[in-house]
């Protein structure tokens, strides 16, 4: 179906569909470059899911597109984890020494001796 029909069935506008496509929130078009895109059930399902996620989590299409980028690009995910550690939104992962100590304590039958990661001294 053409963009006008697709937008109408989704309760949005052709402009918003083009915007979502530019953000990467639709499957890539399989049509030739000089032909108009035809929207199929797969495209409409992707847009419906994106709309639902935007409503559920109160985010913009751009924020949703960035979240997908963070999932797809390991370097972006690593940078976001670093920011999470620095802002205190994520607790730092345990060090190798802490993991080894906990493993040894478990082996000795005295598990749970370490404080939770968020209470560890920095």
């Amino acid at each position: 179906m053409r963009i006008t029909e697709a937008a109408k069935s989704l309760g949005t506008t052709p402009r918003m569909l083009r915007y979502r496509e530019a953000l990467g929130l639709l499957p890539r078009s399989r049509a030739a470059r000089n032909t108009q895109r035809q929207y199929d059930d797969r495209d409409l399902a992707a847009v419906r899911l994106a709309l639902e996620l935007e409503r559920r989590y109160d985010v913009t299409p751009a924020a949703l597109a960035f979240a997908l980028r963070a999932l797809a690009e390991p370097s972006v995910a690593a940078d976001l984890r670093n920011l999470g550690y620095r802002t205190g939104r994520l607790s730092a992962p345990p060090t190798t020494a802490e993991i080894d100590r906990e493993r040894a304590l478990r082996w000795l039958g005295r598990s749970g001796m370490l404080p939770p990661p968020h209470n560890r001294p920095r």
Side-chain angles (χ1 to χ4, degrees), residues 52-79:
E52 170 58 29
L53 293 172
E54 291 162 18
R55 277 191 283 273
R56 186 183 314 160
Y57 297 108
D58 193 26
V59 296
T60 64
L64 188 60
F66 183 71
L68 284 175
R69 182 175 172 205
L71 290 172
E73 297 178 28
S75 63
V76 176
D79 289 341

Side-chain angles (χ1 to χ4, degrees), residues 21-106:
E21 186 172 10
L23 289 173
L25 295 176
L26 274 88
R28 295 196 199 296
S29 175
R30 295 161 301 284
R33 285 185 182 256
N34 57 356
T35 63
Q36 286 190 342
R37 178 176 181 142
Q38 293 293 309
Y39 293 82
D40 60 20
D41 291 337
R42 188 176 126 202
D43 300 322
L44 298 181
V47 174
R48 280 189 192 98
L49 178 57
L51 289 167
E52 170 58 29
L53 293 172
E54 291 162 18
R55 277 191 283 273
R56 186 183 314 160
Y57 297 108
D58 193 26
V59 296
T60 64
L64 188 60
F66 183 71
L68 284 175
R69 182 175 172 205
L71 290 172
E73 297 178 28
S75 63
V76 176
D79 289 341
L80 289 173
R81 268 192 307 280
N82 185 18
L83 178 62
Y85 299 146
R86 291 171 182 253
T87 60
R89 302 266 320 253
L90 296 175
S91 59
T95 65
T96 304
E98 291 169 331
I99 292 170
D100 291 344
R101 180 174 183 262
E102 185 63 32
R103 195 175 292 144
L105 288 171
R106 240 189 344 264

